[in-house]
Amino acid sequence: MPTKHIRYDNLKPAVNRICTGRSRIESERWVSFRAHYGFDAFYCIPGEDGAHEKGGAEHEGGRFRRTHLVPVPEVATLEELNAKIAEIDAVEDERILAGRLTTVGFNFYTEADQLAPLPLEEFECGITMTPKVDRSSRITVRQCHYSVPARFIGQNVRVLLRGNELLVFERREVVARHPRLTRRGDFRDGLDDYLEILLAKPGAMAGSTAWSPPGRTARSPRSTKRSGPPPGPPTAARPGRGS
């Protein structure tokens, strides 16, 4: 971590109100985050005057986007996107800036000794919620739907929503874990969450989305309206007893 400060462009999750000069009213969550990692925030002046305080960060961000993220990558999950960006970062470490003789990765390595070590424990950035489980054994979080074990139907469960995943708890035990969905109306069902229903009704889940391959996220709920097995081929009517 930097030992002095990190420059910010008045990001909304951190700044509740911009006051005169560089004074800011920060969010309580952001103050806890800074205290955990031990750094101060340097807020740039809004407008044109602050554009000269960012050290070329906006220009570098635009170059990175145009070089590596155009066209926009098509990924199924945030984990896949993060993996792609990690590969891009590895390539960027071998880049040599104009007028320099060493690579970006080498320059960072030589400056690493000037940084403070990270704390042993990570700061929990997730948001805690308590949604109610509907009769389909799903919860709705940020307009997306996730399955939970069927025994929680009708109850409120504690959920931890992180940037890349969603955790469902029963007291301190994690009872369901899903990759975070990002498109409104998306849903993710896990077969294990419905096994308790199958004990009482073995044929209850035939044709439902819970039978989809693991890791697959359905995109359109219209394909799940039909319940029960698909209709078989037509058969001749059975003759009555008096035939």
Side-chain angles (χ1 to χ4, degrees), residues 65-112:
R65 178 182 58 82
R66 293 188 298 270
T67 303
H68 301 291
L69 303 178
V70 176
V72 177
E74 295 185 3
V75 296
T77 63
L78 289 175
E79 289 82 357
E80 184 178 349
L81 177 61
N82 289 335
K84 286 182 176 291
I85 294 180
E87 294 176 359
I88 295 173
D89 285 340
V91 175
E92 286 284 306
D93 283 344
E94 301 301 322
R95 188 167 62 94
I96 299 178
L97 301 179
R100 302 289 183 90
L101 300 178
T102 54
T103 64
V104 171
F106 179 84
N107 293 338
F108 176 78
Y109 178 79
T110 58
E111 295 176 357

mmCIF file of all heavy atoms in Angstrom, residues 65-112:
data_model
loop_
_atom_site.group_PDB
_atom_site.id
_atom_site.type_symbol
_atom_site.label_atom_id
_atom_site.label_comp_id
_atom_site.label_asym_id
_atom_site.label_seq_id
_atom_site.Cartn_x
_atom_site.Cartn_y
_atom_site.Cartn_z
ATOM 1 N N ARG A 65 -8.300 0.835 -22.399
ATOM 2 C CA ARG A 65 -9.614 0.418 -22.908
ATOM 3 C C ARG A 65 -9.585 0.249 -24.425
ATOM 4 O O ARG A 65 -10.075 -0.753 -24.955
ATOM 5 C CB ARG A 65 -10.672 1.458 -22.517
ATOM 6 C CG ARG A 65 -12.068 1.144 -23.044
ATOM 7 C CD ARG A 65 -13.048 2.230 -22.667
ATOM 8 N NE ARG A 65 -12.638 3.517 -23.176
ATOM 9 C CZ ARG A 65 -12.872 3.932 -24.424
ATOM 10 N NH1 ARG A 65 -13.485 3.144 -25.289
ATOM 11 N NH2 ARG A 65 -12.485 5.141 -24.820
ATOM 12 N N ARG A 66 -9.022 1.207 -25.126
ATOM 13 C CA ARG A 66 -8.996 1.122 -26.593
ATOM 14 C C ARG A 66 -8.135 -0.028 -27.082
ATOM 15 O O ARG A 66 -8.442 -0.665 -28.096
ATOM 16 C CB ARG A 66 -8.493 2.443 -27.179
ATOM 17 C CG ARG A 66 -9.424 3.624 -26.970
ATOM 18 C CD ARG A 66 -8.934 4.838 -27.748
ATOM 19 N NE ARG A 66 -7.613 5.265 -27.291
ATOM 20 C CZ ARG A 66 -7.400 6.153 -26.325
ATOM 21 N NH1 ARG A 66 -8.441 6.693 -25.691
ATOM 22 N NH2 ARG A 66 -6.170 6.506 -25.983
ATOM 23 N N THR A 67 -7.065 -0.327 -26.347
ATOM 24 C CA THR A 67 -6.138 -1.368 -26.785
ATOM 25 C C THR A 67 -6.658 -2.763 -26.495
ATOM 26 O O THR A 67 -6.540 -3.664 -27.332
ATOM 27 C CB THR A 67 -4.774 -1.171 -26.094
ATOM 28 O OG1 THR A 67 -4.287 0.143 -26.376
ATOM 29 C CG2 THR A 67 -3.768 -2.215 -26.592
ATOM 30 N N HIS A 68 -7.255 -2.969 -25.331
ATOM 31 C CA HIS A 68 -7.577 -4.320 -24.882
ATOM 32 C C HIS A 68 -9.073 -4.605 -24.743
ATOM 33 O O HIS A 68 -9.453 -5.780 -24.697
ATOM 34 C CB HIS A 68 -6.911 -4.591 -23.530
ATOM 35 C CG HIS A 68 -5.421 -4.450 -23.557
ATOM 36 N ND1 HIS A 68 -4.590 -5.332 -24.237
ATOM 37 C CD2 HIS A 68 -4.600 -3.510 -22.991
ATOM 38 C CE1 HIS A 68 -3.330 -4.965 -24.082
ATOM 39 N NE2 HIS A 68 -3.304 -3.869 -23.329
ATOM 40 N N LEU A 69 -9.904 -3.598 -24.647
ATOM 41 C CA LEU A 69 -11.320 -3.822 -24.356
ATOM 42 C C LEU A 69 -12.247 -3.330 -25.460
ATOM 43 O O LEU A 69 -13.428 -3.099 -25.226
ATOM 44 C CB LEU A 69 -11.690 -3.151 -23.031
ATOM 45 C CG LEU A 69 -10.867 -3.583 -21.820
ATOM 46 C CD1 LEU A 69 -11.300 -2.822 -20.583
ATOM 47 C CD2 LEU A 69 -10.971 -5.093 -21.585
ATOM 48 N N VAL A 70 -11.723 -3.156 -26.651
ATOM 49 C CA VAL A 70 -12.523 -2.805 -27.824
ATOM 50 C C VAL A 70 -12.268 -3.839 -28.909
ATOM 51 O O VAL A 70 -11.123 -3.990 -29.341
ATOM 52 C CB VAL A 70 -12.184 -1.391 -28.347
ATOM 53 C CG1 VAL A 70 -12.972 -1.091 -29.625
ATOM 54 C CG2 VAL A 70 -12.475 -0.333 -27.285
ATOM 55 N N PRO A 71 -13.298 -4.594 -29.342
ATOM 56 C CA PRO A 71 -14.677 -4.543 -28.851
ATOM 57 C C PRO A 71 -14.789 -5.079 -27.418
ATOM 58 O O PRO A 71 -13.870 -5.718 -26.912
ATOM 59 C CB PRO A 71 -15.426 -5.451 -29.836
ATOM 60 C CG PRO A 71 -14.377 -6.428 -30.303
ATOM 61 C CD PRO A 71 -13.106 -5.630 -30.383
ATOM 62 N N VAL A 72 -15.928 -4.830 -26.796
ATOM 63 C CA VAL A 72 -16.140 -5.244 -25.407
ATOM 64 C C VAL A 72 -16.069 -6.767 -25.315
ATOM 65 O O VAL A 72 -16.719 -7.466 -26.094
ATOM 66 C CB VAL A 72 -17.506 -4.751 -24.891
ATOM 67 C CG1 VAL A 72 -17.756 -5.236 -23.472
ATOM 68 C CG2 VAL A 72 -17.574 -3.231 -24.961
ATOM 69 N N PRO A 73 -15.265 -7.317 -24.400
ATOM 70 C CA PRO A 73 -15.163 -8.775 -24.280
ATOM 71 C C PRO A 73 -16.508 -9.403 -23.932
ATOM 72 O O PRO A 73 -17.272 -8.838 -23.138
ATOM 73 C CB PRO A 73 -14.141 -8.964 -23.140
ATOM 74 C CG PRO A 73 -13.407 -7.669 -23.053
ATOM 75 C CD PRO A 73 -14.376 -6.609 -23.460
ATOM 76 N N GLU A 74 -16.789 -10.555 -24.505
ATOM 77 C CA GLU A 74 -18.002 -11.296 -24.186
ATOM 78 C C GLU A 74 -17.644 -12.394 -23.191
ATOM 79 O O GLU A 74 -16.914 -13.321 -23.511
ATOM 80 C CB GLU A 74 -18.621 -11.900 -25.448
ATOM 81 C CG GLU A 74 -19.124 -10.852 -26.441
ATOM 82 C CD GLU A 74 -19.834 -11.486 -27.613
ATOM 83 O OE1 GLU A 74 -19.991 -12.727 -27.618
ATOM 84 O OE2 GLU A 74 -20.219 -10.744 -28.539
ATOM 85 N N VAL A 75 -18.154 -12.277 -21.978
ATOM 86 C CA VAL A 75 -17.858 -13.233 -20.911
ATOM 87 C C VAL A 75 -19.167 -13.617 -20.234
ATOM 88 O O VAL A 75 -20.159 -12.876 -20.281
ATOM 89 C CB VAL A 75 -16.875 -12.655 -19.879
ATOM 90 C CG1 VAL A 75 -15.526 -12.366 -20.521
ATOM 91 C CG2 VAL A 75 -17.441 -11.376 -19.258
ATOM 92 N N ALA A 76 -19.162 -14.790 -19.595
ATOM 93 C CA ALA A 76 -20.362 -15.273 -18.905
ATOM 94 C C ALA A 76 -20.402 -14.831 -17.453
ATOM 95 O O ALA A 76 -21.478 -14.666 -16.880
ATOM 96 C CB ALA A 76 -20.438 -16.802 -18.987
ATOM 97 N N THR A 77 -19.231 -14.629 -16.823
ATOM 98 C CA THR A 77 -19.179 -14.282 -15.405
ATOM 99 C C THR A 77 -18.110 -13.227 -15.162
ATOM 100 O O THR A 77 -17.226 -12.991 -15.999
ATOM 101 C CB THR A 77 -18.858 -15.519 -14.547
ATOM 102 O OG1 THR A 77 -17.542 -16.004 -14.896
ATOM 103 C CG2 THR A 77 -19.892 -16.624 -14.778
ATOM 104 N N LEU A 78 -18.188 -12.595 -13.997
ATOM 105 C CA LEU A 78 -17.163 -11.630 -13.614
ATOM 106 C C LEU A 78 -15.819 -12.308 -13.408
ATOM 107 O O LEU A 78 -14.765 -11.711 -13.651
ATOM 108 C CB LEU A 78 -17.590 -10.912 -12.330
ATOM 109 C CG LEU A 78 -18.752 -9.921 -12.464
ATOM 110 C CD1 LEU A 78 -19.147 -9.385 -11.093
ATOM 111 C CD2 LEU A 78 -18.393 -8.770 -13.385
ATOM 112 N N GLU A 79 -15.840 -13.579 -12.931
ATOM 113 C CA GLU A 79 -14.587 -14.308 -12.764
ATOM 114 C C GLU A 79 -13.855 -14.464 -14.090
ATOM 115 O O GLU A 79 -12.628 -14.322 -14.165
ATOM 116 C CB GLU A 79 -14.854 -15.693 -12.150
ATOM 117 C CG GLU A 79 -15.268 -15.668 -10.693
ATOM 118 C CD GLU A 79 -16.740 -15.373 -10.517
ATOM 119 O OE1 GLU A 79 -17.427 -15.136 -11.546
ATOM 120 O OE2 GLU A 79 -17.208 -15.372 -9.367
ATOM 121 N N GLU A 80 -14.599 -14.743 -15.149
ATOM 122 C CA GLU A 80 -13.986 -14.886 -16.467
ATOM 123 C C GLU A 80 -13.403 -13.557 -16.939
ATOM 124 O O GLU A 80 -12.322 -13.517 -17.525
ATOM 125 C CB GLU A 80 -15.026 -15.399 -17.465
ATOM 126 C CG GLU A 80 -14.453 -15.681 -18.847
ATOM 127 C CD GLU A 80 -15.499 -16.224 -19.807
ATOM 128 O OE1 GLU A 80 -16.607 -16.582 -19.350
ATOM 129 O OE2 GLU A 80 -15.208 -16.281 -21.026
ATOM 130 N N LEU A 81 -14.126 -12.451 -16.679
ATOM 131 C CA LEU A 81 -13.608 -11.141 -17.061
ATOM 132 C C LEU A 81 -12.341 -10.807 -16.281
ATOM 133 O O LEU A 81 -11.357 -10.300 -16.847
ATOM 134 C CB LEU A 81 -14.674 -10.074 -16.816
ATOM 135 C CG LEU A 81 -14.252 -8.625 -17.104
ATOM 136 C CD1 LEU A 81 -13.860 -8.448 -18.561
ATOM 137 C CD2 LEU A 81 -15.369 -7.657 -16.725
ATOM 138 N N ASN A 82 -12.328 -11.085 -14.976
ATOM 139 C CA ASN A 82 -11.140 -10.815 -14.169
ATOM 140 C C ASN A 82 -9.943 -11.631 -14.641
ATOM 141 O O ASN A 82 -8.796 -11.160 -14.625
ATOM 142 C CB ASN A 82 -11.429 -11.119 -12.702
ATOM 143 C CG ASN A 82 -12.369 -10.101 -12.074
ATOM 144 O OD1 ASN A 82 -12.450 -8.967 -12.530
ATOM 145 N ND2 ASN A 82 -13.079 -10.502 -11.037
ATOM 146 N N ALA A 83 -10.195 -12.876 -15.059
ATOM 147 C CA ALA A 83 -9.115 -13.713 -15.565
ATOM 148 C C ALA A 83 -8.537 -13.128 -16.857
ATOM 149 O O ALA A 83 -7.313 -13.136 -17.067
ATOM 150 C CB ALA A 83 -9.620 -15.133 -15.804
ATOM 151 N N LYS A 84 -9.407 -12.609 -17.722
ATOM 152 C CA LYS A 84 -8.930 -11.996 -18.967
ATOM 153 C C LYS A 84 -8.081 -10.758 -18.680
ATOM 154 O O LYS A 84 -7.024 -10.549 -19.285
ATOM 155 C CB LYS A 84 -10.123 -11.619 -19.861
ATOM 156 C CG LYS A 84 -10.804 -12.796 -20.548
ATOM 157 C CD LYS A 84 -11.940 -12.327 -21.436
ATOM 158 C CE LYS A 84 -12.564 -13.483 -22.204
ATOM 159 N NZ LYS A 84 -11.632 -14.018 -23.224
ATOM 160 N N ILE A 85 -8.541 -9.932 -17.729
ATOM 161 C CA ILE A 85 -7.793 -8.722 -17.402
ATOM 162 C C ILE A 85 -6.456 -9.074 -16.750
ATOM 163 O O ILE A 85 -5.445 -8.390 -16.965
ATOM 164 C CB ILE A 85 -8.632 -7.817 -16.498
ATOM 165 C CG1 ILE A 85 -9.851 -7.295 -17.280
ATOM 166 C CG2 ILE A 85 -7.815 -6.652 -15.956
ATOM 167 C CD1 ILE A 85 -10.754 -6.385 -16.492
ATOM 168 N N ALA A 86 -6.416 -10.157 -15.962
ATOM 169 C CA ALA A 86 -5.146 -10.591 -15.365
ATOM 170 C C ALA A 86 -4.148 -10.990 -16.454
ATOM 171 O O ALA A 86 -2.946 -10.696 -16.351
ATOM 172 C CB ALA A 86 -5.395 -11.753 -14.404
ATOM 173 N N GLU A 87 -4.630 -11.651 -17.498
ATOM 174 C CA GLU A 87 -3.755 -12.007 -18.618
ATOM 175 C C GLU A 87 -3.248 -10.745 -19.331
ATOM 176 O O GLU A 87 -2.080 -10.676 -19.729
ATOM 177 C CB GLU A 87 -4.512 -12.895 -19.601
ATOM 178 C CG GLU A 87 -4.893 -14.262 -19.031
ATOM 179 C CD GLU A 87 -5.731 -15.068 -19.997
ATOM 180 O OE1 GLU A 87 -6.026 -14.549 -21.107
ATOM 181 O OE2 GLU A 87 -6.094 -16.218 -19.673
ATOM 182 N N ILE A 88 -4.137 -9.757 -19.472
ATOM 183 C CA ILE A 88 -3.726 -8.503 -20.122
ATOM 184 C C ILE A 88 -2.675 -7.799 -19.277
ATOM 185 O O ILE A 88 -1.692 -7.254 -19.808
ATOM 186 C CB ILE A 88 -4.954 -7.602 -20.334
ATOM 187 C CG1 ILE A 88 -5.921 -8.253 -21.327
ATOM 188 C CG2 ILE A 88 -4.540 -6.222 -20.829
ATOM 189 C CD1 ILE A 88 -7.240 -7.521 -21.468
ATOM 190 N N ASP A 89 -2.844 -7.788 -17.960
ATOM 191 C CA ASP A 89 -1.873 -7.140 -17.077
ATOM 192 C C ASP A 89 -0.495 -7.787 -17.210
ATOM 193 O O ASP A 89 0.536 -7.100 -17.156
ATOM 194 C CB ASP A 89 -2.342 -7.226 -15.624
ATOM 195 C CG ASP A 89 -3.470 -6.243 -15.334
ATOM 196 O OD1 ASP A 89 -3.616 -5.286 -16.107
ATOM 197 O OD2 ASP A 89 -4.195 -6.445 -14.343
ATOM 198 N N ALA A 90 -0.476 -9.120 -17.368
ATOM 199 C CA ALA A 90 0.808 -9.813 -17.527
ATOM 200 C C ALA A 90 1.507 -9.360 -18.805
ATOM 201 O O ALA A 90 2.737 -9.195 -18.837
ATOM 202 C CB ALA A 90 0.584 -11.318 -17.535
ATOM 203 N N VAL A 91 0.726 -9.149 -19.862
ATOM 204 C CA VAL A 91 1.302 -8.649 -21.118
ATOM 205 C C VAL A 91 1.790 -7.215 -20.957
ATOM 206 O O VAL A 91 2.856 -6.834 -21.459
ATOM 207 C CB VAL A 91 0.262 -8.754 -22.250
ATOM 208 C CG1 VAL A 91 0.793 -8.123 -23.536
ATOM 209 C CG2 VAL A 91 -0.108 -10.209 -22.500
ATOM 210 N N GLU A 92 1.012 -6.400 -20.227
ATOM 211 C CA GLU A 92 1.382 -5.001 -20.017
ATOM 212 C C GLU A 92 2.686 -4.868 -19.243
ATOM 213 O O GLU A 92 3.427 -3.893 -19.413
ATOM 214 C CB GLU A 92 0.258 -4.275 -19.279
ATOM 215 C CG GLU A 92 -0.957 -3.982 -20.125
ATOM 216 C CD GLU A 92 -0.724 -2.807 -21.065
ATOM 217 O OE1 GLU A 92 -0.345 -1.725 -20.593
ATOM 218 O OE2 GLU A 92 -0.900 -2.998 -22.282
ATOM 219 N N ASP A 93 2.992 -5.821 -18.372
ATOM 220 C CA ASP A 93 4.239 -5.761 -17.607
ATOM 221 C C ASP A 93 5.467 -5.801 -18.504
ATOM 222 O O ASP A 93 6.547 -5.351 -18.104
ATOM 223 C CB ASP A 93 4.299 -6.915 -16.598
ATOM 224 C CG ASP A 93 3.426 -6.663 -15.386
ATOM 225 O OD1 ASP A 93 3.027 -5.500 -15.173
ATOM 226 O OD2 ASP A 93 3.124 -7.622 -14.651
ATOM 227 N N GLU A 94 5.318 -6.342 -19.714
ATOM 228 C CA GLU A 94 6.450 -6.438 -20.639
ATOM 229 C C GLU A 94 6.556 -5.227 -21.561
ATOM 230 O O GLU A 94 7.451 -5.157 -22.397
ATOM 231 C CB GLU A 94 6.316 -7.710 -21.485
ATOM 232 C CG GLU A 94 6.265 -8.995 -20.667
ATOM 233 C CD GLU A 94 7.502 -9.182 -19.825
ATOM 234 O OE1 GLU A 94 8.612 -8.845 -20.309
ATOM 235 O OE2 GLU A 94 7.376 -9.646 -18.669
ATOM 236 N N ARG A 95 5.634 -4.268 -21.405
ATOM 237 C CA ARG A 95 5.636 -3.092 -22.282
ATOM 238 C C ARG A 95 6.700 -2.098 -21.829
ATOM 239 O O ARG A 95 6.931 -1.902 -20.645
ATOM 240 C CB ARG A 95 4.248 -2.439 -22.259
ATOM 241 C CG ARG A 95 4.052 -1.326 -23.265
ATOM 242 C CD ARG A 95 2.573 -0.985 -23.379
ATOM 243 N NE ARG A 95 2.042 -0.502 -22.115
ATOM 244 C CZ ARG A 95 1.970 0.783 -21.786
ATOM 245 N NH1 ARG A 95 2.398 1.709 -22.629
ATOM 246 N NH2 ARG A 95 1.467 1.148 -20.616
ATOM 247 N N ILE A 96 7.327 -1.454 -22.784
ATOM 248 C CA ILE A 96 8.335 -0.427 -22.506
ATOM 249 C C ILE A 96 7.774 0.916 -22.937
ATOM 250 O O ILE A 96 7.378 1.096 -24.097
ATOM 251 C CB ILE A 96 9.657 -0.719 -23.242
ATOM 252 C CG1 ILE A 96 10.234 -2.065 -22.786
ATOM 253 C CG2 ILE A 96 10.670 0.403 -23.006
ATOM 254 C CD1 ILE A 96 11.529 -2.448 -23.502
ATOM 255 N N LEU A 97 7.704 1.855 -22.017
ATOM 256 C CA LEU A 97 7.181 3.180 -22.323
ATOM 257 C C LEU A 97 8.152 3.952 -23.201
ATOM 258 O O LEU A 97 9.375 3.704 -23.190
ATOM 259 C CB LEU A 97 6.926 3.952 -21.023
ATOM 260 C CG LEU A 97 5.949 3.321 -20.031
ATOM 261 C CD1 LEU A 97 5.824 4.197 -18.789
ATOM 262 C CD2 LEU A 97 4.588 3.124 -20.662
ATOM 263 N N ALA A 98 7.604 4.890 -23.961
ATOM 264 C CA ALA A 98 8.445 5.707 -24.837
ATOM 265 C C ALA A 98 9.456 6.495 -24.009
ATOM 266 O O ALA A 98 9.109 7.120 -22.997
ATOM 267 C CB ALA A 98 7.561 6.664 -25.642
ATOM 268 N N GLY A 99 10.712 6.445 -24.414
ATOM 269 C CA GLY A 99 11.771 7.167 -23.713
ATOM 270 C C GLY A 99 12.351 6.418 -22.533
ATOM 271 O O GLY A 99 13.238 6.948 -21.849
ATOM 272 N N ARG A 100 11.853 5.212 -22.244
ATOM 273 C CA ARG A 100 12.380 4.410 -21.137
ATOM 274 C C ARG A 100 13.176 3.229 -21.690
ATOM 275 O O ARG A 100 13.010 2.813 -22.839
ATOM 276 C CB ARG A 100 11.238 3.890 -20.261
ATOM 277 C CG ARG A 100 10.368 4.984 -19.667
ATOM 278 C CD ARG A 100 11.092 5.763 -18.585
ATOM 279 N NE ARG A 100 10.215 6.768 -17.982
ATOM 280 C CZ ARG A 100 9.444 6.540 -16.941
ATOM 281 N NH1 ARG A 100 9.418 5.325 -16.390
ATOM 282 N NH2 ARG A 100 8.688 7.499 -16.436
ATOM 283 N N LEU A 101 14.029 2.662 -20.838
ATOM 284 C CA LEU A 101 14.845 1.517 -21.238
ATOM 285 C C LEU A 101 14.399 0.230 -20.541
ATOM 286 O O LEU A 101 14.902 -0.840 -20.869
ATOM 287 C CB LEU A 101 16.322 1.780 -20.934
ATOM 288 C CG LEU A 101 16.951 2.989 -21.639
ATOM 289 C CD1 LEU A 101 18.398 3.158 -21.201
ATOM 290 C CD2 LEU A 101 16.875 2.829 -23.147
ATOM 291 N N THR A 102 13.501 0.350 -19.577
ATOM 292 C CA THR A 102 13.063 -0.817 -18.809
ATOM 293 C C THR A 102 11.552 -0.998 -18.949
ATOM 294 O O THR A 102 10.827 -0.069 -19.303
ATOM 295 C CB THR A 102 13.433 -0.664 -17.327
ATOM 296 O OG1 THR A 102 12.910 0.581 -16.828
ATOM 297 C CG2 THR A 102 14.944 -0.689 -17.145
ATOM 298 N N THR A 103 11.079 -2.206 -18.618
ATOM 299 C CA THR A 103 9.664 -2.531 -18.775
ATOM 300 C C THR A 103 8.840 -1.977 -17.612
ATOM 301 O O THR A 103 9.377 -1.618 -16.557
ATOM 302 C CB THR A 103 9.464 -4.047 -18.862
ATOM 303 O OG1 THR A 103 9.868 -4.633 -17.608
ATOM 304 C CG2 THR A 103 10.274 -4.650 -19.988
ATOM 305 N N VAL A 104 7.529 -1.976 -17.804
ATOM 306 C CA VAL A 104 6.616 -1.532 -16.755
ATOM 307 C C VAL A 104 6.737 -2.439 -15.524
ATOM 308 O O VAL A 104 6.763 -1.968 -14.380
ATOM 309 C CB VAL A 104 5.163 -1.533 -17.284
ATOM 310 C CG1 VAL A 104 4.172 -1.283 -16.141
ATOM 311 C CG2 VAL A 104 4.992 -0.499 -18.378
ATOM 312 N N GLY A 105 6.805 -3.757 -15.748
ATOM 313 C CA GLY A 105 6.932 -4.690 -14.641
ATOM 314 C C GLY A 105 8.216 -4.487 -13.855
ATOM 315 O O GLY A 105 8.218 -4.574 -12.618
ATOM 316 N N PHE A 106 9.314 -4.209 -14.542
ATOM 317 C CA PHE A 106 10.595 -3.987 -13.860
ATOM 318 C C PHE A 106 10.537 -2.710 -13.034
ATOM 319 O O PHE A 106 11.029 -2.669 -11.895
ATOM 320 C CB PHE A 106 11.720 -3.903 -14.882
ATOM 321 C CG PHE A 106 13.070 -3.658 -14.265
ATOM 322 C CD1 PHE A 106 13.817 -4.717 -13.766
ATOM 323 C CD2 PHE A 106 13.591 -2.368 -14.176
ATOM 324 C CE1 PHE A 106 15.070 -4.495 -13.186
ATOM 325 C CE2 PHE A 106 14.827 -2.150 -13.601
ATOM 326 C CZ PHE A 106 15.569 -3.212 -13.102
ATOM 327 N N ASN A 107 9.918 -1.668 -13.571
ATOM 328 C CA ASN A 107 9.808 -0.405 -12.825
ATOM 329 C C ASN A 107 9.000 -0.588 -11.548
ATOM 330 O O ASN A 107 9.346 -0.024 -10.506
ATOM 331 C CB ASN A 107 9.160 0.665 -13.708
ATOM 332 C CG ASN A 107 10.063 1.056 -14.873
ATOM 333 O OD1 ASN A 107 11.283 0.864 -14.821
ATOM 334 N ND2 ASN A 107 9.470 1.590 -15.921
ATOM 335 N N PHE A 108 7.928 -1.365 -11.626
ATOM 336 C CA PHE A 108 7.134 -1.606 -10.420
ATOM 337 C C PHE A 108 7.942 -2.408 -9.397
ATOM 338 O O PHE A 108 7.879 -2.150 -8.195
ATOM 339 C CB PHE A 108 5.854 -2.354 -10.765
ATOM 340 C CG PHE A 108 5.034 -2.717 -9.558
ATOM 341 C CD1 PHE A 108 4.250 -1.768 -8.914
ATOM 342 C CD2 PHE A 108 5.072 -4.003 -9.039
ATOM 343 C CE1 PHE A 108 3.517 -2.100 -7.787
ATOM 344 C CE2 PHE A 108 4.336 -4.343 -7.910
ATOM 345 C CZ PHE A 108 3.554 -3.383 -7.277
ATOM 346 N N TYR A 109 8.698 -3.368 -9.876
ATOM 347 C CA TYR A 109 9.499 -4.196 -8.967
ATOM 348 C C TYR A 109 10.506 -3.342 -8.191
ATOM 349 O O TYR A 109 10.721 -3.549 -6.999
ATOM 350 C CB TYR A 109 10.215 -5.275 -9.767
ATOM 351 C CG TYR A 109 11.112 -6.157 -8.935
ATOM 352 C CD1 TYR A 109 10.598 -7.193 -8.167
ATOM 353 C CD2 TYR A 109 12.498 -5.954 -8.922
ATOM 354 C CE1 TYR A 109 11.424 -7.999 -7.393
ATOM 355 C CE2 TYR A 109 13.334 -6.756 -8.158
ATOM 356 C CZ TYR A 109 12.791 -7.775 -7.398
ATOM 357 O OH TYR A 109 13.620 -8.564 -6.642
ATOM 358 N N THR A 110 11.094 -2.372 -8.857
ATOM 359 C CA THR A 110 12.084 -1.522 -8.180
ATOM 360 C C THR A 110 11.421 -0.566 -7.195
ATOM 361 O O THR A 110 12.066 -0.115 -6.231
ATOM 362 C CB THR A 110 12.881 -0.716 -9.217
ATOM 363 O OG1 THR A 110 11.977 0.084 -10.006
ATOM 364 C CG2 THR A 110 13.666 -1.644 -10.123
ATOM 365 N N GLU A 111 10.144 -0.234 -7.411
ATOM 366 C CA GLU A 111 9.453 0.691 -6.507
ATOM 367 C C GLU A 111 8.725 -0.032 -5.376
ATOM 368 O O GLU A 111 8.254 0.615 -4.433
ATOM 369 C CB GLU A 111 8.431 1.518 -7.301
ATOM 370 C CG GLU A 111 9.060 2.432 -8.340
ATOM 371 C CD GLU A 111 8.011 3.160 -9.170
ATOM 372 O OE1 GLU A 111 6.807 2.886 -8.945
ATOM 373 O OE2 GLU A 111 8.394 3.978 -10.010
ATOM 374 N N ALA A 112 8.589 -1.359 -5.456
ATOM 375 C CA ALA A 112 7.799 -2.105 -4.472
ATOM 376 C C ALA A 112 8.327 -1.946 -3.058
ATOM 377 O O ALA A 112 7.546 -1.978 -2.093
ATOM 378 C CB ALA A 112 7.758 -3.579 -4.863
#
